[in-house]
Amino acid sequence: MPYPKPSKTPNSIPCFVYIDGEFIQKETIERREYQVRIAQSAAQANTLVVLPTGMGKTIIALLLIARALQKQTDKILFLAPTKPLVTQHALFLKEFLTIDSSEVAMFTGEISPAKRKATWEGSRIIVSTPQVIENDLLSKRLDLHEVSLIVFDEAHHAVGEYAYVFVSEMYQKQREQGLALGITASPGNDVTKILEVCKNLAITNIEIRTKYDPDVRPYVHDLKLSWKEVTLPQEFSYTLQILRKALVERLTFLKNLGMIESASPSLVNRTKLLETQQKVQGAIRSRAKPPKILFKAASVQSEAMKIHYAIELLQTQGVNALKNYFQRMGKEARSKEGSKASRTIMSDSNLLEAVAYVKSLNVEHPKIPELAHIVQQQLSQKKDAKIIVFTHFRDTSAHVVKVLSSIEGARPVRFIGQAAKGDDKGLTQKQQAEIITQFKKGTYNVLIATSVAEEGLDIPSTDLVVFYEPIPSEIRAIQRRGRTARKMPGKVIILITKGTSDEAYYWAAKRKEKRMRSELELIRSQLTKKTENGSFDEKNVSQEIENQKTLGDFQKKDTPVTIAVDHREYRSPVVKNLVMKGASIDPQQLDVGDYVLSSRIGIERKRVDDFLESLIRGKLFKQLARLRDTYARPLLVIEGEGLYTKRNISHNAIVGSFSSAIVDFGIPIITTKDAIETAGFLYIMASREQREDKKIVAVRGEKTTMSLRDRQQFIVEGLPNVSAVLAKRLLDRFGSIKDIVNASEKELCQVNGVGKHIASDILAVLHADYLTE
């Protein structure tokens, strides 16, 4: 796309002109020179764009998309981390591009895989959450060889095992010279993390602008930021005193063991408690003290964390939040799966007294009347004002809606995520989109939101943003503030409870944000020192992030490998790493095991936590017996670290379970460090098995020793939707496999548990011709 030449305009007052380009609706997008310049740069190389919120990162993406549309046969992929953002971006592209709106498709998990595949083939632009694309890549429903541009919105997520990383890796494999654009307002304060994002997205160019840059400053609207301090009521003092007493008892125990170095237990904060957890686990690994004492220390540390959390809830959220927390902890303590820490806490006399006293309290947290006053004052000054209130907790959001509903002129609505949490079912994607639409229209004028509304939602006319509590993350703080002052001046008010963690979190976020700005300036200064291939020199900024070598790196790449994977394992990092190594994944509903490498090898993979949980609950040996009875060569893989330190289980018990698995069940055990190592092991074993012996991967393992009765039942279980119980009923009813094969649909339906649908599926398999490859 031939970009228009930048027009010469005064720095102080930009001349309001429109972008005039192919595929962009005329006289709809204001031309801003910094956006045009960044887009020109991003068209030449994979680019990370760091731009303040409200400064039009999506417009830069639009310019690149319009350019990419010139290639008639190519597709464009626009990824965003949340479903509300996917909806927003899809509507934006349909509004401002000249192509037919049917060519812009929106993918979410609610759309069936078959429909997504058909839509992919008929669309030029696909807007999606990365998890959906990751899933479709794993199942080979689509590939990225036709994609010439991928936009990664909120690109700071591209670290660790987030889906952006896998999609980017597959894009680099499947499309030569494909272009990538990452956009974010808040990449973080750690330069190593920033460079990790660049590495994972194959970024070779960074474009950074701040609100102080001359070409951006004319478009920045005033943002007035202030905070309101409140004081805890005296009625909270007794409960806090009881909770602190219970906490100090546990901290003193840990201090006496040398696990806490603080001079006074009362000075221990959440960070120090997490450090204590690491110290206890290290002591268990090194056996620095008797195991019984150290396992008790681990449980006491967990109790201390829960009590510390209760104190924070009362100090920063109020009585309702604490009541709900105690209620959930009591429910957990009564359940079989409940932790020892929860059971100990809910039987502690001090804690029981605190619970009883809290139930008698009918006092609001002072933040509630302060928030009500702020909202009332804003609406009195501007009747059509729009306000967003951010809170970290769903319990608080529900209570705030109830309180603000009584304010004259306030029309509050709750905006939360889709996941169900206890009795709170969450919102569907459709409900979320409808709430945002109604908020923009003014049907609602106060949006009480959790973190789901922090990233990217474009609500241009928001006058005021209120933080019910500060948050220690500089990324989230920037995102929250960015919901206002986008197209007009805005205000941000942060509520802080004196003498609580609110104060610490507020200053922590400010410190991290200041560091982030300095790190970005450091990276930007490096951009003037380009290397010959046009990439910035990461070594001058941070040590190069090394690639971890695995067994798979030494494996020949020309060996075709197919691995059957249970559907419950499908989204695991092991599967992603197998795909990256070139394995073909066959998703199946396996009755036993997680991975099948050949007709004889079946593998059960357990992470360390899962293994220990199975051992505690008495399920392990039943699972091993099924694994042994199903596969001729069964294998157990235990993945992760901390096998002897994570739970209160003696070393001898774990070693004893290993001995039983190997000797009594004949199942070898392999331990791996992480998912990468597990995938490398599986890939090499599958390659050897399938290359040397030409063994075909079977969904069900072949047992060498079976009675005739067991073999008959084994065969019938292979029919669609036929369980072991149903297989026995079919054999009991018809007497032989031959008579089952010759039965009519009506006769099959006479068997208890076989309906018309199952009968039809059985006959379809039995009577269909075998299609050769």
Side-chain angles (χ1 to χ4, degrees), residues 142-193:
L142 58 85
D143 63 46
L144 304 175
H145 75 277
E146 293 180 302
V147 176
S148 61
L149 170 66
I150 297 186
V151 179
F152 297 91
D153 189 23
E154 308 297 351
H156 54 271
H157 288 289
V159 294
E161 294 180 359
Y162 191 71
Y164 275 176
V165 179
F166 178 74
V167 173
S168 175
E169 288 174 345
M170 294 303 291
Y171 184 47
Q172 295 166 50
K173 280 179 173 285
Q174 296 177 356
R175 173 76 187 213
E176 291 185 6
Q177 297 181 335
L179 191 64
L181 173 69
I183 52 179
T184 182
S186 45
N189 74 91
D190 186 343
V191 69
T192 306
K193 284 286 181 67

Tab-separated table of all heavy atoms in Angstrom, residues 142-193:
chain	number	residue	atom	x	y	z
A	142	LEU	N	-6.326	-26.238	10.398
A	142	LEU	CA	-5.850	-25.134	9.567
A	142	LEU	C	-4.343	-25.027	9.703
A	142	LEU	O	-3.749	-25.581	10.622
A	142	LEU	CB	-6.528	-23.814	9.961
A	142	LEU	CG	-6.383	-23.309	11.404
A	142	LEU	CD1	-5.103	-22.511	11.594
A	142	LEU	CD2	-7.560	-22.441	11.779
A	143	ASP	N	-3.732	-24.338	8.754
A	143	ASP	CA	-2.330	-23.950	8.913
A	143	ASP	C	-2.197	-22.499	8.465
A	143	ASP	O	-3.149	-21.885	8.005
A	143	ASP	CB	-1.381	-24.885	8.158
A	143	ASP	CG	-1.609	-24.857	6.658
A	143	ASP	OD1	-1.740	-23.751	6.094
A	143	ASP	OD2	-1.660	-25.935	6.040
A	144	LEU	N	-0.996	-21.958	8.629
A	144	LEU	CA	-0.804	-20.516	8.460
A	144	LEU	C	-0.026	-20.164	7.197
A	144	LEU	O	0.453	-19.035	7.077
A	144	LEU	CB	-0.085	-19.952	9.696
A	144	LEU	CG	-0.769	-20.228	11.044
A	144	LEU	CD1	0.099	-19.738	12.190
A	144	LEU	CD2	-2.142	-19.569	11.103
A	145	HIS	N	0.077	-21.078	6.251
A	145	HIS	CA	0.898	-20.787	5.074
A	145	HIS	C	0.284	-19.705	4.198
A	145	HIS	O	0.985	-19.050	3.418
A	145	HIS	CB	1.136	-22.066	4.259
A	145	HIS	CG	-0.055	-22.522	3.461
A	145	HIS	ND1	-1.068	-23.280	4.008
A	145	HIS	CD2	-0.386	-22.307	2.166
A	145	HIS	CE1	-1.968	-23.519	3.072
A	145	HIS	NE2	-1.583	-22.945	1.956
A	146	GLU	N	-1.051	-19.492	4.300
A	146	GLU	CA	-1.707	-18.442	3.506
A	146	GLU	C	-1.728	-17.091	4.216
A	146	GLU	O	-2.154	-16.098	3.643
A	146	GLU	CB	-3.152	-18.851	3.192
A	146	GLU	CG	-3.295	-20.041	2.266
A	146	GLU	CD	-4.752	-20.369	2.012
A	146	GLU	OE1	-5.484	-20.628	2.989
A	146	GLU	OE2	-5.167	-20.352	0.841
A	147	VAL	N	-1.301	-17.057	5.466
A	147	VAL	CA	-1.375	-15.824	6.266
A	147	VAL	C	-0.135	-14.974	6.007
A	147	VAL	O	0.993	-15.431	6.191
A	147	VAL	CB	-1.499	-16.151	7.769
A	147	VAL	CG1	-1.477	-14.875	8.598
A	147	VAL	CG2	-2.771	-16.949	8.039
A	148	SER	N	-0.347	-13.744	5.588
A	148	SER	CA	0.792	-12.859	5.314
A	148	SER	C	1.036	-11.857	6.442
A	148	SER	O	2.081	-11.209	6.484
A	148	SER	CB	0.560	-12.091	4.004
A	148	SER	OG	-0.604	-11.284	4.098
A	149	LEU	N	0.056	-11.719	7.362
A	149	LEU	CA	0.205	-10.779	8.472
A	149	LEU	C	-0.539	-11.317	9.692
A	149	LEU	O	-1.695	-11.726	9.590
A	149	LEU	CB	-0.363	-9.401	8.099
A	149	LEU	CG	-0.504	-8.381	9.241
A	149	LEU	CD1	0.856	-7.971	9.787
A	149	LEU	CD2	-1.285	-7.143	8.771
A	150	ILE	N	0.147	-11.317	10.830
A	150	ILE	CA	-0.518	-11.607	12.109
A	150	ILE	C	-0.331	-10.402	13.020
A	150	ILE	O	0.787	-9.897	13.198
A	150	ILE	CB	0.048	-12.856	12.807
A	150	ILE	CG1	-0.179	-14.110	11.970
A	150	ILE	CG2	-0.625	-13.038	14.163
A	150	ILE	CD1	0.235	-15.404	12.671
A	151	VAL	N	-1.433	-9.943	13.596
A	151	VAL	CA	-1.405	-8.864	14.581
A	151	VAL	C	-1.608	-9.487	15.959
A	151	VAL	O	-2.590	-10.209	16.187
A	151	VAL	CB	-2.508	-7.823	14.309
A	151	VAL	CG1	-2.470	-6.732	15.377
A	151	VAL	CG2	-2.343	-7.216	12.919
A	152	PHE	N	-0.679	-9.233	16.869
A	152	PHE	CA	-0.779	-9.717	18.240
A	152	PHE	C	-1.156	-8.539	19.136
A	152	PHE	O	-0.295	-7.733	19.502
A	152	PHE	CB	0.549	-10.325	18.705
A	152	PHE	CG	0.983	-11.546	17.935
A	152	PHE	CD1	1.804	-11.422	16.814
A	152	PHE	CD2	0.576	-12.816	18.328
A	152	PHE	CE1	2.220	-12.541	16.109
A	152	PHE	CE2	0.982	-13.933	17.626
A	152	PHE	CZ	1.801	-13.807	16.505
A	153	ASP	N	-2.426	-8.426	19.466
A	153	ASP	CA	-2.856	-7.339	20.352
A	153	ASP	C	-2.491	-7.676	21.790
A	153	ASP	O	-2.491	-8.841	22.185
A	153	ASP	CB	-4.376	-7.146	20.228
A	153	ASP	CG	-4.855	-5.893	20.939
A	153	ASP	OD1	-4.041	-4.975	21.129
A	153	ASP	OD2	-6.044	-5.834	21.313
A	154	GLU	N	-2.178	-6.630	22.578
A	154	GLU	CA	-1.693	-6.828	23.956
A	154	GLU	C	-0.529	-7.826	23.928
A	154	GLU	O	-0.538	-8.867	24.592
A	154	GLU	CB	-2.825	-7.322	24.866
A	154	GLU	CG	-4.086	-6.476	24.831
A	154	GLU	CD	-3.889	-5.041	25.324
A	154	GLU	OE1	-2.807	-4.734	25.869
A	154	GLU	OE2	-4.804	-4.217	25.152
A	155	ALA	N	0.472	-7.487	23.153
A	155	ALA	CA	1.577	-8.413	22.852
A	155	ALA	C	2.415	-8.778	24.074
A	155	ALA	O	3.179	-9.740	24.020
A	155	ALA	CB	2.482	-7.795	21.781
A	156	HIS	N	2.262	-8.052	25.176
A	156	HIS	CA	3.037	-8.385	26.376
A	156	HIS	C	2.682	-9.769	26.926
A	156	HIS	O	3.387	-10.306	27.777
A	156	HIS	CB	2.834	-7.319	27.458
A	156	HIS	CG	1.403	-7.050	27.792
A	156	HIS	ND1	0.652	-6.103	27.137
A	156	HIS	CD2	0.565	-7.619	28.693
A	156	HIS	CE1	-0.573	-6.086	27.633
A	156	HIS	NE2	-0.647	-6.997	28.572
A	157	HIS	N	1.585	-10.359	26.436
A	157	HIS	CA	1.222	-11.714	26.864
A	157	HIS	C	2.123	-12.781	26.249
A	157	HIS	O	2.069	-13.941	26.675
A	157	HIS	CB	-0.226	-12.015	26.473
A	157	HIS	CG	-1.248	-11.290	27.291
A	157	HIS	ND1	-1.500	-11.596	28.609
A	157	HIS	CD2	-2.091	-10.267	26.977
A	157	HIS	CE1	-2.440	-10.803	29.079
A	157	HIS	NE2	-2.813	-9.982	28.108
A	158	ALA	N	2.908	-12.432	25.259
A	158	ALA	CA	3.679	-13.431	24.502
A	158	ALA	C	4.901	-13.924	25.269
A	158	ALA	O	6.039	-13.800	24.827
A	158	ALA	CB	4.093	-12.852	23.150
A	159	VAL	N	4.659	-14.477	26.435
A	159	VAL	CA	5.724	-15.042	27.256
A	159	VAL	C	5.270	-16.403	27.788
A	159	VAL	O	4.081	-16.718	27.786
A	159	VAL	CB	6.089	-14.111	28.438
A	159	VAL	CG1	6.705	-12.818	27.952
A	159	VAL	CG2	4.857	-13.823	29.298
A	160	GLY	N	6.230	-17.197	28.252
A	160	GLY	CA	5.899	-18.483	28.859
A	160	GLY	C	5.160	-19.400	27.910
A	160	GLY	O	5.545	-19.582	26.753
A	161	GLU	N	4.057	-19.967	28.391
A	161	GLU	CA	3.283	-20.930	27.611
A	161	GLU	C	2.016	-20.317	27.029
A	161	GLU	O	1.111	-21.035	26.598
A	161	GLU	CB	2.928	-22.133	28.485
A	161	GLU	CG	4.142	-22.946	28.908
A	161	GLU	CD	3.779	-24.133	29.775
A	161	GLU	OE1	2.576	-24.314	30.059
A	161	GLU	OE2	4.680	-24.889	30.166
A	162	TYR	N	1.919	-18.982	27.029
A	162	TYR	CA	0.724	-18.360	26.468
A	162	TYR	C	0.611	-18.702	24.982
A	162	TYR	O	1.610	-18.866	24.286
A	162	TYR	CB	0.779	-16.839	26.664
A	162	TYR	CG	-0.541	-16.160	26.357
A	162	TYR	CD1	-1.633	-16.311	27.207
A	162	TYR	CD2	-0.708	-15.391	25.220
A	162	TYR	CE1	-2.842	-15.705	26.934
A	162	TYR	CE2	-1.918	-14.782	24.931
A	162	TYR	CZ	-2.986	-14.943	25.794
A	162	TYR	OH	-4.200	-14.349	25.507
A	163	ALA	N	-0.624	-18.802	24.498
A	163	ALA	CA	-0.885	-19.291	23.135
A	163	ALA	C	-0.212	-18.449	22.051
A	163	ALA	O	0.085	-18.958	20.965
A	163	ALA	CB	-2.390	-19.358	22.888
A	164	TYR	N	0.038	-17.170	22.301
A	164	TYR	CA	0.729	-16.329	21.317
A	164	TYR	C	2.061	-16.965	20.902
A	164	TYR	O	2.461	-16.895	19.741
A	164	TYR	CB	1.017	-14.951	21.909
A	164	TYR	CG	-0.107	-13.943	21.810
A	164	TYR	CD1	0.007	-12.682	22.382
A	164	TYR	CD2	-1.293	-14.239	21.141
A	164	TYR	CE1	-1.014	-11.742	22.303
A	164	TYR	CE2	-2.319	-13.307	21.064
A	164	TYR	CZ	-2.178	-12.061	21.648
A	164	TYR	OH	-3.183	-11.139	21.555
A	165	VAL	N	2.760	-17.555	21.870
A	165	VAL	CA	4.097	-18.094	21.614
A	165	VAL	C	4.015	-19.254	20.617
A	165	VAL	O	4.767	-19.303	19.634
A	165	VAL	CB	4.756	-18.548	22.932
A	165	VAL	CG1	6.142	-19.128	22.661
A	165	VAL	CG2	4.847	-17.388	23.919
A	166	PHE	N	3.098	-20.168	20.849
A	166	PHE	CA	2.950	-21.321	19.961
A	166	PHE	C	2.499	-20.891	18.564
A	166	PHE	O	3.029	-21.365	17.548
A	166	PHE	CB	1.946	-22.309	20.548
A	166	PHE	CG	1.701	-23.514	19.676
A	166	PHE	CD1	2.645	-24.513	19.568
A	166	PHE	CD2	0.522	-23.638	18.952
A	166	PHE	CE1	2.420	-25.619	18.761
A	166	PHE	CE2	0.283	-24.726	18.145
A	166	PHE	CZ	1.245	-25.721	18.050
A	167	VAL	N	1.522	-19.999	18.491
A	167	VAL	CA	1.031	-19.527	17.191
A	167	VAL	C	2.161	-18.866	16.407
A	167	VAL	O	2.326	-19.094	15.200
A	167	VAL	CB	-0.149	-18.544	17.368
A	167	VAL	CG1	-0.541	-17.931	16.031
A	167	VAL	CG2	-1.355	-19.260	17.980
A	168	SER	N	2.967	-18.060	17.087
A	168	SER	CA	4.090	-17.402	16.418
A	168	SER	C	5.097	-18.420	15.900
A	168	SER	O	5.604	-18.295	14.770
A	168	SER	CB	4.772	-16.428	17.384
A	168	SER	OG	5.914	-15.861	16.800
A	169	GLU	N	5.401	-19.430	16.704
A	169	GLU	CA	6.354	-20.452	16.274
A	169	GLU	C	5.844	-21.198	15.039
A	169	GLU	O	6.599	-21.463	14.098
A	169	GLU	CB	6.609	-21.430	17.423
A	169	GLU	CG	7.438	-20.840	18.560
A	169	GLU	CD	7.544	-21.776	19.737
A	169	GLU	OE1	6.759	-22.753	19.808
A	169	GLU	OE2	8.398	-21.540	20.607
A	170	MET	N	4.567	-21.534	15.024
A	170	MET	CA	3.993	-22.235	13.882
A	170	MET	C	3.957	-21.328	12.647
A	170	MET	O	4.158	-21.779	11.515
A	170	MET	CB	2.583	-22.723	14.213
A	170	MET	CG	2.536	-23.790	15.300
A	170	MET	SD	3.522	-25.253	14.908
A	170	MET	CE	2.573	-25.943	13.566
A	171	TYR	N	3.711	-20.045	12.867
A	171	TYR	CA	3.702	-19.072	11.760
A	171	TYR	C	5.073	-19.009	11.099
A	171	TYR	O	5.200	-19.019	9.866
A	171	TYR	CB	3.295	-17.713	12.317
A	171	TYR	CG	3.141	-16.604	11.290
A	171	TYR	CD1	2.437	-16.793	10.103
A	171	TYR	CD2	3.670	-15.334	11.537
A	171	TYR	CE1	2.277	-15.769	9.182
A	171	TYR	CE2	3.509	-14.301	10.637
A	171	TYR	CZ	2.820	-14.526	9.456
A	171	TYR	OH	2.657	-13.504	8.540
A	172	GLN	N	6.119	-18.977	11.906
A	172	GLN	CA	7.472	-18.937	11.356
A	172	GLN	C	7.819	-20.209	10.582
A	172	GLN	O	8.569	-20.168	9.618
A	172	GLN	CB	8.470	-18.721	12.493
A	172	GLN	CG	8.337	-17.364	13.189
A	172	GLN	CD	9.095	-17.327	14.493
A	172	GLN	OE1	10.258	-17.684	14.558
A	172	GLN	NE2	8.434	-16.911	15.566
A	173	LYS	N	7.241	-21.340	11.013
A	173	LYS	CA	7.499	-22.604	10.329
A	173	LYS	C	6.718	-22.713	9.024
A	173	LYS	O	7.205	-23.239	8.027
A	173	LYS	CB	7.122	-23.777	11.241
A	173	LYS	CG	8.147	-24.128	12.290
A	173	LYS	CD	7.630	-25.290	13.145
A	173	LYS	CE	8.721	-25.762	14.093
A	173	LYS	NZ	9.768	-26.535	13.419
A	174	GLN	N	5.472	-22.236	9.041
A	174	GLN	CA	4.555	-22.505	7.935
A	174	GLN	C	4.499	-21.402	6.890
A	174	GLN	O	3.981	-21.615	5.791
A	174	GLN	CB	3.144	-22.763	8.490
A	174	GLN	CG	3.062	-24.006	9.359
A	174	GLN	CD	1.687	-24.219	9.972
A	174	GLN	OE1	0.783	-23.398	9.821
A	174	GLN	NE2	1.515	-25.321	10.680
A	175	ARG	N	4.991	-20.215	7.196
A	175	ARG	CA	4.939	-19.107	6.244
A	175	ARG	C	6.298	-18.438	6.151
A	175	ARG	O	6.808	-17.886	7.128
A	175	ARG	CB	3.886	-18.081	6.674
A	175	ARG	CG	3.869	-16.807	5.833
A	175	ARG	CD	3.223	-17.007	4.477
A	175	ARG	NE	3.348	-15.824	3.623
A	175	ARG	CZ	2.448	-15.447	2.733
A	175	ARG	NH1	1.346	-16.162	2.566
A	175	ARG	NH2	2.641	-14.388	1.984
A	176	GLU	N	6.877	-18.484	4.981
A	176	GLU	CA	8.135	-17.782	4.767
A	176	GLU	C	7.871	-16.296	4.565
A	176	GLU	O	6.950	-15.909	3.845
A	176	GLU	CB	8.856	-18.353	3.545
A	176	GLU	CG	9.382	-19.766	3.735
A	176	GLU	CD	10.180	-20.230	2.537
A	176	GLU	OE1	10.402	-19.422	1.632
A	176	GLU	OE2	10.573	-21.415	2.520
A	177	GLN	N	8.662	-15.482	5.209
A	177	GLN	CA	8.590	-14.026	5.072
A	177	GLN	C	7.216	-13.476	5.446
A	177	GLN	O	6.746	-12.500	4.867
A	177	GLN	CB	8.953	-13.611	3.638
A	177	GLN	CG	10.378	-13.978	3.258
A	177	GLN	CD	10.732	-13.536	1.855
A	177	GLN	OE1	9.864	-13.380	1.012
A	177	GLN	NE2	12.018	-13.346	1.612
A	178	GLY	N	6.567	-14.110	6.406
A	178	GLY	CA	5.322	-13.561	6.926
A	178	GLY	C	5.620	-12.384	7.839
A	178	GLY	O	6.690	-12.311	8.469
A	179	LEU	N	4.703	-11.451	7.946
A	179	LEU	CA	4.908	-10.241	8.741
A	179	LEU	C	4.133	-10.356	10.047
A	179	LEU	O	3.012	-10.854	10.078
A	179	LEU	CB	4.437	-9.014	7.965
A	179	LEU	CG	4.809	-7.638	8.532
A	179	LEU	CD1	6.324	-7.439	8.520
A	179	LEU	CD2	4.126	-6.534	7.727
A	180	ALA	N	4.735	-9.895	11.150
A	180	ALA	CA	4.085	-9.909	12.456
A	180	ALA	C	4.123	-8.513	13.063
A	180	ALA	O	5.127	-7.804	12.956
A	180	ALA	CB	4.764	-10.908	13.392
A	181	LEU	N	3.017	-8.135	13.705
A	181	LEU	CA	2.922	-6.849	14.390
A	181	LEU	C	2.429	-7.097	15.810
A	181	LEU	O	1.348	-7.658	16.014
A	181	LEU	CB	1.944	-5.922	13.670
A	181	LEU	CG	1.636	-4.589	14.381
A	181	LEU	CD1	2.853	-3.672	14.364
A	181	LEU	CD2	0.438	-3.886	13.733
A	182	GLY	N	3.224	-6.706	16.789
A	182	GLY	CA	2.794	-6.764	18.182
A	182	GLY	C	2.488	-5.363	18.677
A	182	GLY	O	3.258	-4.434	18.433
A	183	ILE	N	1.359	-5.188	19.349
A	183	ILE	CA	0.978	-3.862	19.848
A	183	ILE	C	0.639	-3.958	21.334
A	183	ILE	O	-0.009	-4.896	21.783
A	183	ILE	CB	-0.212	-3.261	19.061
A	183	ILE	CG1	-1.391	-4.238	19.006
A	183	ILE	CG2	0.206	-2.876	17.668
A	183	ILE	CD1	-2.605	-3.685	18.260
A	184	THR	N	1.119	-2.995	22.105
A	184	THR	CA	0.877	-2.969	23.547
A	184	THR	C	1.123	-1.569	24.080
A	184	THR	O	1.887	-0.798	23.493
A	184	THR	CB	1.777	-3.975	24.286
A	184	THR	OG1	1.486	-3.947	25.681
A	184	THR	CG2	3.253	-3.668	24.074
A	185	ALA	N	0.481	-1.284	25.196
A	185	ALA	CA	0.761	-0.036	25.891
A	185	ALA	C	1.668	-0.265	27.087
A	185	ALA	O	2.239	0.675	27.633
A	185	ALA	CB	-0.550	0.601	26.367
A	186	SER	N	1.803	-1.528	27.487
A	186	SER	CA	2.500	-1.804	28.743
A	186	SER	C	3.257	-3.118	28.657
A	186	SER	O	2.754	-4.152	29.098
A	186	SER	CB	1.479	-1.866	29.888
A	186	SER	OG	0.351	-2.654	29.487
A	187	PRO	N	4.458	-3.113	28.110
A	187	PRO	CA	5.215	-4.357	27.969
A	187	PRO	C	5.836	-4.866	29.261
A	187	PRO	O	6.366	-5.963	29.293
A	187	PRO	CB	6.309	-3.973	26.963
A	187	PRO	CG	6.505	-2.522	27.179
A	187	PRO	CD	5.161	-1.960	27.531
A	188	GLY	N	5.794	-4.090	30.337
A	188	GLY	CA	6.355	-4.530	31.612
A	188	GLY	C	7.618	-3.799	31.971
A	188	GLY	O	8.208	-3.082	31.161
A	189	ASN	N	8.049	-3.991	33.231
A	189	ASN	CA	9.217	-3.235	33.729
A	189	ASN	C	10.499	-4.040	33.676
A	189	ASN	O	11.551	-3.544	34.031
A	189	ASN	CB	8.948	-2.784	35.170
A	189	ASN	CG	9.039	-3.916	36.170
A	189	ASN	OD1	10.090	-4.181	36.735
A	189	ASN	ND2	7.926	-4.612	36.391
A	190	ASP	N	10.426	-5.290	33.239
A	190	ASP	CA	11.602	-6.157	33.203
A	190	ASP	C	12.107	-6.259	31.764
A	190	ASP	O	11.417	-6.773	30.889
A	190	ASP	CB	11.219	-7.543	33.731
A	190	ASP	CG	12.419	-8.472	33.871
A	190	ASP	OD1	13.468	-8.163	33.275
A	190	ASP	OD2	12.303	-9.494	34.558
A	191	VAL	N	13.302	-5.774	31.515
A	191	VAL	CA	13.831	-5.757	30.158
A	191	VAL	C	13.964	-7.172	29.605
A	191	VAL	O	13.785	-7.410	28.403
A	191	VAL	CB	15.188	-5.022	30.111
A	191	VAL	CG1	16.272	-5.812	30.817
A	191	VAL	CG2	15.591	-4.735	28.673
A	192	THR	N	14.234	-8.150	30.479
A	192	THR	CA	14.328	-9.536	30.026
A	192	THR	C	12.991	-10.017	29.474
A	192	THR	O	12.931	-10.711	28.454
A	192	THR	CB	14.783	-10.452	31.185
A	192	THR	OG1	15.992	-9.942	31.729
A	192	THR	CG2	15.002	-11.873	30.695
A	193	LYS	N	11.904	-9.641	30.142
A	193	LYS	CA	10.570	-10.027	29.672
A	193	LYS	C	10.252	-9.340	28.348
A	193	LYS	O	9.646	-9.935	27.451
A	193	LYS	CB	9.515	-9.647	30.713
A	193	LYS	CG	9.471	-10.578	31.920
A	193	LYS	CD	8.823	-11.902	31.553
A	193	LYS	CE	8.761	-12.837	32.752
A	193	LYS	NZ	7.842	-12.351	33.793
